[in-house]
């Protein structure tokens, strides 16, 4: 375990290539959720700081220092940034653990490699982004250009702070945009750390600016700023709706990756060993603080008791505790507020008629902190609030179903549409159900995998647009059509 003080984490705003204090000098306490103690203070950016950051991003965009750089050189810088993140992986994973409460092993083995892979993937794109010639009627040569949009405001959540930041930065930068990034107030440290790495890699000043602060202050300033051309957001559906409303004033481009309540379906004809094994990881990974968590487990009736047993055993096996301990599978929830909210949902479930078959309350861990037991609720009906609202914690609702038609209706009976998973050995059924489910990602005999090459995003109230893959970079471009008369 690396001592926090040894990590020398930057705690000031990163604007125009320099670390700076907030204009009014304000700072806020940054809490380690595994202890409830402060890790120290971090600069609290407000509208004046967002103004400075947007001005720096605008100047960097208009100077053509970034978009005008040869594609091959931009690629080299993005690869270099990926290498620097890899080189600093131990420190970044430790910072992520102190800030989020997640197990260090997960940060080191998942968050960090995913961040590095995403940067390498998009580093390949600048030289491949191209327009087309268009076969129009008449004597014209008509072609399209894919241009960067301009200054992008990016707002990210606290569940995978570095990975979410990189998932936003990489395609935006690959397409030639400049960025003002606002990390979540609960978890500002790994994003701020990127400032030094961006400088070391050789990014021109102003291409990436990082403003830590609160949603209602720095976040509001960013989404309302007239000189921001697009807002890209990951977080709650409620904030996403608010952003979309605010963006209407200047018609900012908006992309949103929001909440989920993903159905995870076990059919009677599944490979039961694999299916039963998958239940726990699909909901409990990262303390359930995962937008694609398989939080509604639908089980074909004859298997219901067996699935409940497998879910409970998985919950009992997962060690909750010190995020730096090697055998810890479940760390702390991100904040006291969130921890209380998760507990309120479990109590609500019970008052709605659900039965707790595993967990069901806070977990006692030496040293304090906001730990919660992996929890399994039986007797849940799909219309209960615990099955309809995103809990974003280690809480699984298990619901029996009759047949394929029944489960399809239940799975789609939700305002969300981020992901879905199913276990079946019937190929026809698998692809039939995959088509019928209204979700941006469907897993067949697998759950929860992501890859920078595979588009990711939500149907319905789970979002707007797709991140990752070619779709993910297209979202950061404008298409210009150029007509030339040939006569
Ligand atoms: P949130 O949407 O409030 O916060 C996410 C980000 O948005 C943070 O950076 C925050 O500072 C910023 N933000 C908040 N209000 C803003 C505003 N008015 N203008 C601009 N930016 C603003 O989410 P939360 O309160 O941290 O979490 C609440 C719930 O949201 C969670 O319990 C969970 O259900 C959901 N959530 C989903 C995801 C996801 O990946 N889909 C991630 C985090 C949270």
């Amino acid at each position: 375990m690396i001592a926090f003080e040894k990590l020398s984490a930057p705690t000031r705003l990163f604007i125009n290539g320099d670390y700076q204090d907030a204009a009014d000098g304000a700072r806020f306490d940054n809490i380690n959720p595994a202890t409830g103690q402060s890790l120290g203070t971090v600069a609290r950016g407000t509208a004046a700081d967002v103004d400075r950051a947007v001005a720096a991003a605008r100047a960097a965009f208009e100077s053509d220092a970034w978009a005008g750089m040869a594609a091959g050189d931009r690629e080299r810088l993005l690869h270099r940034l990926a290498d620097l993140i890899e080189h600093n992986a131990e420190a970044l994973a430790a910072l992520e653990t102190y800030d989020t409460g997640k197990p260090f092993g997960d940060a080191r083995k998942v968050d960090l490699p995913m961040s590095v892979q995403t940067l390498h993937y998009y580093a390949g794109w600048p030289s491949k982004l191209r327009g087309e010639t268009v076969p129009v009627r008449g004597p014209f040569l008509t072609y399209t250009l894919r241009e960067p949009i301009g200054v992008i405001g990016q707002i990210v959540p606290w569940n995978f702070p570095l990975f979410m930041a990189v998932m936003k930065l990489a395609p935006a930068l690959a397409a030639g945009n400049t960025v003002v990034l606002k990390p979540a107030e609960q978890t500002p440290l790994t994003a701020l750390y990127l400032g030094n790495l961006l400088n070391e890699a050789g990014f021109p000043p102003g291409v990436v600016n990082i403003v830590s602060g609160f949603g209602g202050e720095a976040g509001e300033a960013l989404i309302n700023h007239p000189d921001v051309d697009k807002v890209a957001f990951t977080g709650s559906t409620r904030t996403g709706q608010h952003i979309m409303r605010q963006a209407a004033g200047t018609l900012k481009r908006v992309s949103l990756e929001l909440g989920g309540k993903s159905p995870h379906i076990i059919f009677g004809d599944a490979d039961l060993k694999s299916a039963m094994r998958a239940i726990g990881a699909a909901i409990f990974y990262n303390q359930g603080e995962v937008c694609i968590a398989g939080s509604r487990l639908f089980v074909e009736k004859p298997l219901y008791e067996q699935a409940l047993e497998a879910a409970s055993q998985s919950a009992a096996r997962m060690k909750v505790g010190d995020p730096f301990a090697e055998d810890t599978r479940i760390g702390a929830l991100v904040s006291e507020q969130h921890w209380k909210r998760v507990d309120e949902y479990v109590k609500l479930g019970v008052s709605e008629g659900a039965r707790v078959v595993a967990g069901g309350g806070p977990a006692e861990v030496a040293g304090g902190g906001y730990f919660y037991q992996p929890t399994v609720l039986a007797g849940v009906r799909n219309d209960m609030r615990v099955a309809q609202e995103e809990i974003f914690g280690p809480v699984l609702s298990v619901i029996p179903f009759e047949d394929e038609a029944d489960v399809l209706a239940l799975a789609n009976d939700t305002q969300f549409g981020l992901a879905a998973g199913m276990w079946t050995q019937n190929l026809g059924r698998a692809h039939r159900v995959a088509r019928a489910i209204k979700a941006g990602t469907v897993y067949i005999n697998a759950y929860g995998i992501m890859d920078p090459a595979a588009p990711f995003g939500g149907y319905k109230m789970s979002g707007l647009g797709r991140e990752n893959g070619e779709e993910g970079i297209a979202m950061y471009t404008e298409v210009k059509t150029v007509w030339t008369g040939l006569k």
Side-chain angles (χ1 to χ4, degrees), residues 262 292 417-421 437 439-443 449 454-459 466:
S262 300
I292 54 173
L418 196 56
I437 286 207
T441 298
V442 177
Y443 299 104
I449 305 144
F456 179 84
Y459 278 40
R466 294 290 178 274

Side-chain angles (χ1 to χ4, degrees), residues 319-332:
K319 176 150 182 281
V320 183
D322 173 5
F324 282 101
E326 246 174 60
D327 57 348
T328 291
R329 295 286 304 281
I330 299 195

Side-chain angles (χ1 to χ4, degrees), residues 270-344:
D271 163 4
L272 287 186
K273 208 168 150 213
S274 308
M276 296 295 159
R277 221 178 18 219
I279 297 172
I283 177 64
F284 298 135
Y285 182 71
N286 208 52
Q287 302 74 240
E289 296 168 330
V290 178
C291 51
I292 54 173
S295 49
R296 289 186 297 153
L297 181 70
F298 291 106
V299 188
E300 199 158 340
K301 265 199 178 139
L303 295 176
Y304 183 67
E305 291 303 327
Q306 188 181 347
L308 267 186
E309 180 60 27
S312 308
Q313 277 183 14
S314 158
R317 263 199 315 271
M318 300 225 167
K319 176 150 182 281
V320 183
D322 173 5
F324 282 101
E326 246 174 60
D327 57 348
T328 291
R329 295 286 304 281
I330 299 195
L333 296 183
V334 76
S335 67
E336 183 177 16
Q337 190 193 9
H338 185 52
W339 180 62
K340 287 185 171 157
R341 188 174 167 269
V342 169
D343 195 43
E344 277 161 22

